[in-house]
Amino acid sequence: MQNRSERDTFAEMYANRLARLWAVERGLVFGRLDHLDEGRLYIGKLGLTDDEQERLLIDWRAPVAQPFYRATPAVPMGVTRRRHLQTKGRVVTGVDDDLLDLDAISDDDLATLNGEAALLAALDESRTGRMRDIVATIQAEQDRVIRADLNGVLVVQGGPGTGKTVVALHRAAYLLYTHRERLERRGVLILGPNLTFLRYIEQVLPSLGETDVLLSTVGELYPGLTATARERPEVAALKGDARMADVLARAVRDRQRVGRKAVELRLGRYSLTIDPGMLDGARNKAIRSRRPHNQARAVFVRTILNALARQAAKKLGRGLIDDDELADLREELRTEQVVRTALNRYWPYLTPQRLLIGLYGSAERLEYAGSALSRRERELLRRDGGEWTESDVPLLDEAAELLGEIDEQVLRASAANAEEELAAARQAEEHEREAEVAYAREVLQLTGLSDVMEAERLAERQRGAGPYLTTAEKAAADRTWAYGHVIVDEAQELSPMAWRAVMRRVPTRSMTIVGDIAQTGSAAGARSWGQVLDPFVAGRWRQEKLTVNYRTPVELMAVAADVLATIDPELRAPRSVRESGAEPWSAPMTALPELVKAERGEGGKVAVVVPDELLERVGAVVTGAVPEAAVVEPGRGRAGAAALDAPVAVMNVTDAKGLEFDSVIVAEPGLIAAQSPRGKSDLYVALTRATQRLGVVHETPLEPALSRLRPRGHEPTNVL
């Protein structure tokens, strides 16, 4: 047993190490630091040594690597030259040098200086449909955020293109490196806005050597359920409202209300009575226990059964009975079908799904539970059946907290023929345990350890725990898992109810929250970080700002800034670091097929961002013009997100959040701005997805905020 345990431990350790080594193969080494005193240090995605333990490669997260990101000519930090290396496989394909101390560099080294700025070279590369790591081009303000302290809540506020997401991912890798023992055991959770976004970022952390971080959406937080359907904005806003916590609490109390009439239970030779006083006393005792509903049921049931057992004793002429006789009578009554039916009616076991289905499907239950809601709001919640939506998941999570778990044996015992099934299962389990103890006894006798350890203890220690699961897999299957650190991206979109679900998963409040208030598109989303965080960590959160736009060229950002001013004149767009030379344009919607073909011909990834109502219609036009194009369909989960692999993708604004493309065509900006109360923010998001080229197609007149767009010549085709 010990040898097997050691073998499995080493196998797991080497398998994890091998997975990390394979994952970081691309771009393994990307930099070199020439120091005045320390000589040359090579920087890479992880640390490596040779057989003599001489250092070959420095992990980018190590303190000694910080000058690679923070050294400047004004503050060189002992570095004379910083060299960026581009590789393909094991071959160096490019070299870029930053000279930091001219006086300290030799004439021979001066003769070997090469390249353009590594950052601008990376920004000009074509997109691939997947986010890439920026480990070789992290900038000083980004590095400051990445290496910030683990403890507490860090808010990273940044406009479009400032690298919020990729900084958050690199921060996850840095924290796992720096606090490995603490975080590997509890895990790191990264929450994204949708499954399309998760597919976009899923390769970043493995490329940095971190292969065991859980990526999830709010719609996946409830184990066993992936909710991708979306509500109408007004319904989503209501379900995300903090008042829904009280609605659900009242919905649970509604299921604990007892009748006001006595109920007679016929049990063959005699009958028993459950009267209102008995019910009230049992209910109050269960509520005073402060247990969740399903656990409090045990208190309610025991109190009723005790009262019924005493009644039965009198009916049977036994008079006063001792505790053992009372327990026997109680268990006898528990198995009676008529008693079980009555107990289930007064205090039923409930699952979160059953609670919500019963609430949504009953006008009477909604009126009681939603007494603080208006009649129109209750009507918005009313529905019969239908699939679970993303807005339902935080409510299911809240309900699970209120209800508590149901013991699996109890569930089995409530099924048909439950007693026989449960008895057979217990008998089989007992036989298995006896066999394990017998085997353990033989092992102890053979090894001469019978006097040192009991056979039962050895059997318990060696009992199989099932297949090996990673920390991420264990956490994904356990709703009550407490993470070591949680990162929330596009955090401005989360509703108050979603924040309650997130906060339950990180009791230490060690969090990184990433977003941009100006990009809030959800009606239930945040208007300020204080509004979001003060209910949970008032006065205990800090904020860092990213101010430089690395993605969106100056020409494109000028258009987006005009739209931003219509959202709030006080808001300021981030400063772009480069120009593309391509002026943003506008054209009639009828020119869309030719324009998509032209943009496809320019190379790189192309996105057509559309209002929700036009997704199917525009998708058909684009796929007709460019057969290899694909539509990102909401509600299809990871299968819909696979459209990112296509050279041209058609999607709505929600699925475009956090993504970037070489070229973006925005269809009907007026409809995007009008489709929700935060529609202007959605338009701002759509206009800032491009790294090179931006166009707008429309049938309705453009609003004044888009006056910078130049009309583009075209040959119209009447296709819409």
Side-chain angles (χ1 to χ4, degrees), residues 313-387:
K314 291 180 180 178
K315 296 272 185 174
L316 296 171
R318 297 184 187 178
L320 294 175
I321 58 176
D322 60 24
D323 290 343
D324 291 339
E325 292 176 309
L326 181 66
D328 290 340
L329 266 177
R330 188 172 61 233
E331 290 305 312
E332 183 180 326
L333 290 171
R334 189 193 298 273
T335 62
E336 294 286 349
Q337 181 63 44
V338 64
V339 175
R340 291 208 307 262
T341 300
L343 293 174
N344 288 336
R345 182 171 69 250
Y346 289 126
W347 197 292
Y349 277 113
L350 290 172
T351 64
Q353 292 91 330
R354 183 179 173 188
L355 179 71
L356 280 188
I357 289 171
L359 179 65
Y360 293 156
S362 169
E364 181 182 352
R365 292 193 188 283
L366 275 172
E367 185 173 359
Y368 175 81
S371 58
L373 305 178
S374 68
R375 176 177 294 181
R376 180 179 178 278
E377 288 174 324
R378 293 196 294 271
E379 290 172 354
L380 288 175
L381 293 175
R382 182 80 167 83
R383 81 176 193 213
D384 294 311
E387 59 184 322

